[in-house]
Amino acid sequence: MTASATPKLVTYILIAGLALLGGVTLGQPELVALAVPLVMSLVLGLGRTHLPASSATVETDVDRCIEGDAIKATVTLNSFETPVEMEVAMGLSPGLFAKPTARSFTFLVGDGEQRRQTVALEATRWGVQRIGPIALRVHGPGRFVTFEGVIDERQTVKVFPKYERLMQGLSTAETQMHSGDHVARALADGIEFATVRPFAYGDSVRRVNWRVSSRTQELHVNLAHPERNSDVVLFLDTFTDAALETGSTLDIAVRGASAVAQHHLRHHDRVGLVSFGGNARWLTASMGRSHTYRIVEFLLDVNATFSYAWKDIKLLPHGTLPSGALVVAFSPLIDERAVRALADLGERGFPVIAIDTLPEVEVTCGQNREAQLAYRMWRLQRDVRRARLGASGVRTYSGAGGVHVALHALSFLRPAPKAAR
Amino acid sequence: MAARLSVSCALLGIAVVLYPVFAAPAVVTLALAGCAMAALTLGLITSRWLGAGIAAGLALFNYALALLFGARQPDIYAPALAVAGWLVLELFDLAVMARRQQGRIDNEVLDAQWRRLITTSGAAGLASVAVLLAGVFFQASSALLPAAAIAAVAAVVTGVVLTRWAVN
């Protein structure tokens, strides 16, 4: 802790010195008497001032929660010396909110006693949020000297994105080998009726359609579509994070990805994740409850990282993009590298759906001519990018009105057929 | 809280600053008192100790002028003026702190501050009286100046010890 003299100390010393000097030189004992309370106060205060042996810890009632949840952080203060006035201020990540009056408080702590203060916080943004460090300002007796220091005591709380439940998932063009909830195009054993064909050697007797067989006087069997699972790869463009009135483009991307991942995992699909930005990270497609937690943990660490390096999808290992996987991309369509990577995926035959996380309605145009020209050019550039993605077989949907609305609209569509090679 | 402390400080400040004007009515003392009051008000508004320091300096200078040109010798109200002046500075300090501290202030802190103010002002008043008496009694003979100084120091030390005992 660093000690510093307060302006009060300087003022007291000056005024007391002037009064004593004036009293002695002018021979006026009244002036000396005037200095007595100041001198007494100085002796009392400075005589008991010492470097405080204080400590502070912070604890939270939860270590993980969902956006919008309330968190209680408890700061515990200890001081083993004579009671001192201790001013405490708590550092918080931007994703946590507390009333300004609740973030700092003043106590009288000493004689080895422990003081606790509980602060009500609200998790306003997903991510790994930190509570701490704790800034301490200890006022010495009389407030002539203050000791200031920062205690590097932190607690982390994992704030998961608010869960948006999708009514219906995205339809996939191709299904995989494992059983699931999607009706496959192939004909095999299943529940969903497909067609009737004449009996062939090896067909099960249980599949004979007796009504058709009796009408045609020839044995016919029922064929069905099997229920299979599908692979969904969520592609997050993390090159840029544009701030919006309500959150940012990355917020929309993470919330959307979380909703899609939860929905498809619940329906026995394999879900993979790619965070494509300054730092490329990926999670190979898998299924099950444990994978849900892996995805959530992955999403918590997603953040935009600035980089000049050119990156394309060759960077990603083979297992990241399984053959026939539906790619759902969340991108503000700002960075050329992400747009190029999505076009590449479309040209390689992946069914790709891109959700534009930068709603144009939220971007306001300036009043002067230069700003209007820049705005028009920006819109034209976006149109060009969308057209290029369209030519590569990538369907682009606007995330205006919330990603939930976009996904709801998408759930009734089937992805575009594979682009011709 | 900060507003109440500021008003108390300003009201007590007016009394302290105007005392030399009543002791020795003159244009100079009135002008100095006005300047001191303005400095204190500015200090309270801006929460800066510079204003309080200038006000205290001007008030001290004004009081010295009043003692030199005034008729009353010795001034028996000097200890009360000393305690009142010290209280003005302490109230100024509390007002500034209350304005700066945004968060919750524990009641125990406020209680300790008031307890310190009351005990210190009591002990300081007694010590001031002792110092004034020592000064007046030994003013006539310069040979007794060391004894007066020792008596003054003893008065201050006794005040300090009394206050510490009372506060703890």
Side-chain angles (χ1 to χ4, degrees), chain A residues 48 56 92 109 279:
Chain A
R48 290 188 300 161
L92 292 174
V109 191
N279 287 334

Side-chain angles (χ1 to χ4, degrees), chain A residues 292-410:
Chain A
T292 310
Y293 294 119
R294 274 198 293 272
I295 284 178
V296 171
E297 295 280 336
F298 183 95
L299 287 174
L300 288 180
D301 288 333
V302 167
N303 51 22
T305 313
F306 183 77
S307 167
Y308 281 114
W310 180 261
K311 289 187 171 71
D312 58 23
I313 55 166
K314 286 177 193 163
L315 189 78
L316 303 174
H318 287 295
T320 314
L321 295 163
S323 171
L326 168 68
V327 178
V328 183
F330 295 88
S331 169
L333 302 181
I334 291 175
D335 197 281
E336 185 60 32
R337 290 167 288 187
V339 176
R340 180 71 208 151
L342 287 176
D344 264 4
L345 286 172
E347 285 160 9
R348 288 178 186 215
F350 285 99
V352 183
I353 292 171
I355 295 171
D356 183 0
T357 54
L358 182 58
E360 286 176 7
V361 289
E362 290 212 28
V363 180
T364 49
C365 176
Q367 293 298 317
N368 56 11
R369 282 185 61 190
E370 289 83 2
Q372 286 175 354
L373 184 66
Y375 182 72
R376 281 173 56 202
M377 283 180 68
W378 173 71
R379 290 196 64 162
L380 279 170
Q381 196 179 30
R382 283 172 65 82
D383 287 344
V384 168
R385 282 179 179 156
R386 279 202 206 97
R388 197 198 311 163
L389 286 174
S392 305
V394 178
R395 285 187 181 184
T396 315
Y397 296 95
S398 170
V403 76
H404 184 81
V405 177
L407 292 172
H408 184 67
L410 288 176

Side-chain angles (χ1 to χ4, degrees), chain B residues 43-59:
Chain B
L44 280 170
I45 291 167
T46 58
S47 299
R48 291 195 174 273
W49 266 94
L50 186 65
I54 291 171
L58 286 173

Side-chain angles (χ1 to χ4, degrees), chain A residues 7-8 11-12 15 27 29-30 33-34 36 40-41 44 48 85 87 101 104-108 115 117 139 143, chain B residues 49 53 57 60 63 74-75 82 86 90 93 97 101-104 106 108-109 113 124 128 131 139 159 163-164:
Chain A
K8 183 182 175 182
T11 309
Y12 269 45
I15 300 298
E30 290 91 343
L34 218 62
V36 168
M40 261 186 64
S41 190
L44 268 169
R48 290 188 300 161
E85 198 180 314
E87 210 177 319
T101 49
S104 62
F105 35 90
T106 308
F107 280 136
L108 197 70
R115 297 298 299 262
Q117 173 71 24
H139 299 283
R143 287 181 171 165
Chain B
W49 266 94
L60 184 70
Y63 183 58
D75 183 12
W86 175 76
E90 286 294 322
D93 183 39
M97 291 303 284
Q101 284 171 342
Q102 287 188 329
R104 195 175 74 82
D106 199 31
E108 214 174 324
V109 175
Q113 283 168 353
S128 291
V131 168
Q139 203 174 13
T163 311
R164 283 194 71 165

